[in-house]
Amino acid sequence: MAKVTDRYRYSDLDFNFARSANGDVARKFDDNAIKQSLRNLVLTNYYERPFRPSLGANLNSVLFSNFSQGDMGEIRSGIIKTINEAEPRVILLEVLVGFNEKTLTLSVSITYNYLDTEDTIDINIERVK
Amino acid sequence: MSDSFINLSQTDFEQVKISLTDFIRTKPEFSDYDFTGSAMSTLIDLLAYNTAFFSTYTNFLANESFIDSAQKRDSLMSLARLVGYTPRSRIASRAVLNVTSSSSTLPANTVFSGADTGYSFITLESQILEEVSSGVFGGDVTVYQNSNVLKTVNTTYSFGKVVIPEQADISSLTVSVGGIVYTEANRISALGPASKVFFIDPIFSGAYEVSFGDGTYGERVNDGSNVRVEYLTPNGVNNANGERSFTSNAVTSINVVSESYGGSERETSESIRRNAPSYFQAQNRAVTANDAEIVFKVDNPEVYDATAWGGEDNNPPQYGRLFLSTIKDAAGTTFSAEELSEFGAKLQEKTVVGILPEFKDRSCYDVNVTSGTLIYDPVINSDGTGLNGLTSTKLIEYDPACSFRGVFPYSTITSELVNENPAIRSIDLDIDISGSFSNETYNNSDVVRNLYISFANSVKKNSLFTDFFFISESLGEPENIGFLDDDGDGFIRLGGVNSGRIFNYRLGTIDYSNGNITILGFSDWDTQKAITDQGTKDLTIHCVPESRAVQAKKQATYKLGTVASIRLSQ
């Protein structure tokens, strides 16, 4: 069987544990693997990972607070710090944070550069009640 | 370095994680294992956490399975049970009182209040008093400290057991079934189907359980039987010791024969760890001196401490005897002759046939600091002020205080002095050990002047010397001041201080290996002159021990004696 890693720089498990065509667990490669990693980091809360209590952007802790401009800045700097520390494969270009008071949704937009290619991921967290 | 196998020797989280990462590094399918945000990294974290959790759990489990390493009291109790050792429960403080009353009977549960400690004491059994004069009855009674005016009664009998709470004093336990008193079983081999016995075993959380025989070893007791279990629940324990002021409405007068003693908390975990294997080794028989010590202490929980040794170790040797020395409290109070007689009778049941247990008071010798050198740093302490006092304080802190198995921890004392005070750069102390013979005791013409010392520590040759003492005028020594020393070959000599003459080259013997000193019929010691001379001390014999860490063994114990001023040097 050909080595997939010969053709791809990065390879990771699909966190959804979807099945691939050959019945094995699906994988993600290169930019998809990195997007999954960024999403995973941003959605990680403090004390979630064993023995690494300060890893993650800790969005859950602010989700139920009354948002102010200060909170937005705190979330943004948390995301920047996490990605800079834990994801060396990307160069972070911009992080935008917004809160829609009608839909009670926290939106995070992360623009980054990976192998001279600029890309953006959007993460939305909705307060359901 | 990458490994194609998982290293199992590392068990903490970080090391397991490194081991797993190294393993995955050898597999071509995934490459993101070392980026924190990747799914692989998350899974590796979970696996490492799981491994670390179970390795810690397994480590705890293994530790708790052995008496040497168990930390939880429940585990120690369970392990002690395996070797037939019942950890000591709380012990009620007890006192002996001489009472008089207008009634000839002192009923059980008569309350005596203690004014000094504030605790109440009760009688356990009804006692008949003898008539001491017309209409006045009296006698000695033993009272026990208890939290209530009555013993606690437990009749909850289910699943063949009665649970006794951890607050109970199980040495006071009485068990009866249908009004018939049962006795505690010690040896299962001596039991038959009709033996009316109960067993007591430690269970969880420091509690105990009473159970009965199975119909083969001990009579079976059926569910629904009327089982009555009574025991003391002392709340004062060691705080109730030392009570001397008793009052009671039930008696006319109270004289304290023996102030309250023996109250103690339940056995500590460290004590269980030390005693359970020793007790198992002894097999409930007092064959060796060590056996006798542990069996004696387990059988008599009111004893504060004890030591045992064979008569062959005595000076002079007394073969066929087992000697014990015991105290009832930390202050070293001894038991009465009657109490010791009871202890002896109980112990004799477990000694080898023909070996008689005998109690002796411990000998307490002195450890003296005769001189020493302290080198200090003049930058920190310009003239060494206070360093002598500091040394004395430290020596007092480590005074063995006549305790059995006490040690004079020389190296600890010197190292702590150097470590705790930066002004002290080095300290070296000269030590000797000494035993005294009173002029008053040996002055009586009926007293045979045989002097025995058993230091139970090796002593140096040519190190024996005495303090100033008087010798007979008939020897012709100016001032009649004599000295004793040893010749290095095991003989003790008597000489005169002023003339330097040796009057007797074979006055006595000294065994350097064990510090045994024997002087028989010492008639040249002028005790009368010493008594009339107010400034004269007793005859004190000193020796320099081979090791400055002098330790108490057998009946020989030590306390800190004189501490001379030590030389200060920069």
Side-chain angles (χ1 to χ4, degrees), chain A residues 64 104 126-129:
Chain A
F64 292 90
L104 299 176
E126 189 179 346
R127 193 196 299 172
V128 293
K129 63 176 182 178

Side-chain angles (χ1 to χ4, degrees), chain A residues 70-86:
Chain A
D71 291 328
M72 300 296 178
E74 195 179 320
I75 293 168
R76 185 172 174 274
S77 49
I79 292 169
I80 292 170
K81 177 174 166 287
T82 303
I83 293 174
N84 285 340
E85 282 178 2

